[in-house]
Amino acid sequence: MAKATTTLKQVLNYQPDHSAWFAANQALFNQVAAFYFEVIQAHEKVLDLSNKEALTALEKLTHTTQKNPTPVMPLEEILEDIPAMFRRAAIHAALGSARSFYSHLQKWRKRKEKTLAKGKKFHERPPVPPRSWNKSATLYRGMWKERAHNSIVLKVWTGTCWSWVKVRITGRELPSDAEMGSPALIRHGNQWCLHTPIEKQFKSPGKIEKQVTTNAQTKMCAVDLNINENLAVCTIQTVEGTILATKFIGGGKEISGFRKKQLGRIAHNRRKTGIIAENEQDNVHLWNKIRHVDEQIAHLVSARIVQFAKQHDTTILVFEHLGNLKPAKGKYSHRGNSKRAFWMKGRIFKYAKYKAYNEGMLTSRVNPRNTSRECARCHSLLARYEEGQEAQGYMYGASLVLCPTCGMKGNADRNASLVIGQRLVTRYQQSSKEKPPTPLLAERVSRDAGVVVSQDAKCEEEPSIPQTGHGDTNEHGTAQDRPLRMDEHLSDIPCHLRLPLE
Ligand SMILES: [Zn+2]
């Protein structure tokens, strides 16, 4: 069995003055978390302990009891009578932040040491501990009771006392087959919501290697991510090579045009004011607008990819590694745009991996080398060109390809996605055919075949950060249900994303 975590988001209905109580409750939670962060800074060794042991150690340092009448740093100085479960939730929040901060600091020290040892100068600034705390209060058991599908009773700090408050809940109901975690009281603008992590168990999909090497009918969805009009092109194919369906997810031009406009405005504003204050983000509103739309598109595109894969009962999702960002030349808006388009590809991958995992699919990445230049049918080098031009040479980013060797003709991005899928199969078939005695040899064998076994191929299979709850987007696009041949015309399957632009 495997587990998937999602977040159930519910809106709360409460009396108007309760909103101030929730805010006071959150402020106190952050004050206590910040306090514990300081305690940890003063006793760094705590971080060598497990969370459970660290909790005990931190309580001993701060919590006054009969057995422990004079703790080193008493929490009472902030407020007396903080409920134990409130304190523990804040301690865990502080521990999480502290672990992350110290691991970044350690990595930074290592990089510094390494660079200085080489006799080079080290300019990177060290990570800083959080300057302000803005965490949402997690409600451990004991801080809430009587949870029903439309109401819950919460214990909150009102600013002057601890009080039980009954609030109404609207939104999705708790699924009956899922296990519920501790809810958190979250503010969205002026509205307070309850977010509850829920864990679902499902039959775990077999390892990719096993699926690929033992069943030739295993279906994969291979995805080519682009920064041109087709943000993603997906093909469904079986391990033995039958192509079952293709889907084009468009909207690239629209998002690029939107970004270009906003970046142009930012450049214009900067020229007007002349200076950019250090450590201060300029044009906050415009940047937020870009960020928001990028994020939304990444969620939409990843949801579509997973939905398409699910419709065709695929169990594996394949992408190519993104490689490094090649800095574009030209105007500020153009450079900024291509940088953001590149980041968005990374985000689409990350979200798709999550959403796929929650549907019981595993995700992998393959070597991106020449995926656009190789013929999916015979693996020769392709000619790439635009409609109306002569089919020869290689025009970067053009939409059509022709294989001079086997005559295959078709859409360039679709060809690339087919090649991506085939690479995954090649990787595992190579390694199973010549089953190597050592992992080192395995890597060499694969490299000889032109496919690099990715270092993180194994850990790629399961997502590492719980980021979920956005997979419920509606489908406006169309997908081809019948098998397509490479030389068929594909212009009949455009699929545009609707953007909430301006
Ligand atoms: Zn060919």
Side-chain angles (χ1 to χ4, degrees), residues 28-71:
L28 178 65
F29 185 82
N30 282 299
Q31 210 183 340
V32 176
F35 165 80
Y36 276 104
F37 191 87
E38 277 174 32
V39 178
I40 297 168
Q41 279 183 304
H43 303 84
E44 275 183 40
K45 283 244 162 1
V46 165
L47 294 174
D48 297 336
L49 305 173
S50 73
N51 270 357
K52 212 174 155 192
E53 292 164 334
L55 180 80
T56 315
L58 288 168
E59 292 200 320
K60 202 162 182 194
L61 288 166
T62 56
H63 185 42
T64 314
T65 59
Q66 262 178 351
K67 273 191 189 165
N68 187 28
T70 49

Side-chain angles (χ1 to χ4, degrees), residues 256-378:
S256 156
F258 165 79
R259 261 199 234 109
K260 192 159 180 261
K261 197 165 156 194
Q262 308 307 328
L263 289 165
R265 281 183 184 163
I266 289 169
H268 177 80
N269 291 350
R270 283 184 176 174
R271 269 200 303 277
K272 232 170 31 188
T273 49
I275 38 161
I276 304 163
E278 205 180 323
N279 292 329
E280 201 182 294
Q281 180 67 63
D282 58 308
N283 294 290
V284 176
H285 172 68
L286 292 173
W287 282 119
N288 281 344
K289 212 158 148 183
I290 298 177
R291 203 170 302 133
H292 182 77
V293 171
D294 276 353
E295 184 75 2
Q296 200 165 9
I297 299 284
H299 275 301
L300 271 169
V301 173
S302 57
R304 294 260 168 92
I305 293 170
V306 173
Q307 198 171 30
F308 175 64
K310 198 184 163 194
Q311 276 167 7
H312 291 275
D313 300 318
T314 60
T315 48
I316 302 171
L317 214 53
V318 199
F319 291 81
E320 58 183 353
H321 279 283
L322 295 182
N324 297 318
L325 171 65
K326 289 179 200 86
K329 290 185 183 127
K331 277 170 78 174
Y332 173 76
S333 60
H334 181 67
R335 280 179 285 132
N337 207 347
S338 58
K339 197 155 75 180
R340 298 210 144 254
F342 178 79
W343 288 342
M344 192 162 85
K345 276 169 59 168
R347 228 171 290 170
I348 293 174
F349 167 75
K350 190 172 128 190
Y351 297 160
K353 188 164 132 188
Y354 258 98
K355 289 168 185 167
Y357 187 72
N358 285 350
E359 299 293 345
M361 283 175 239
L362 294 178
T363 304
S364 190
R365 284 199 277 200
V366 298
N367 184 357
R369 195 182 144 83
N370 284 346
T371 44
S372 309
R373 296 189 186 216
E374 183 182 320
C375 170
R377 198 193 276 168
C378 74

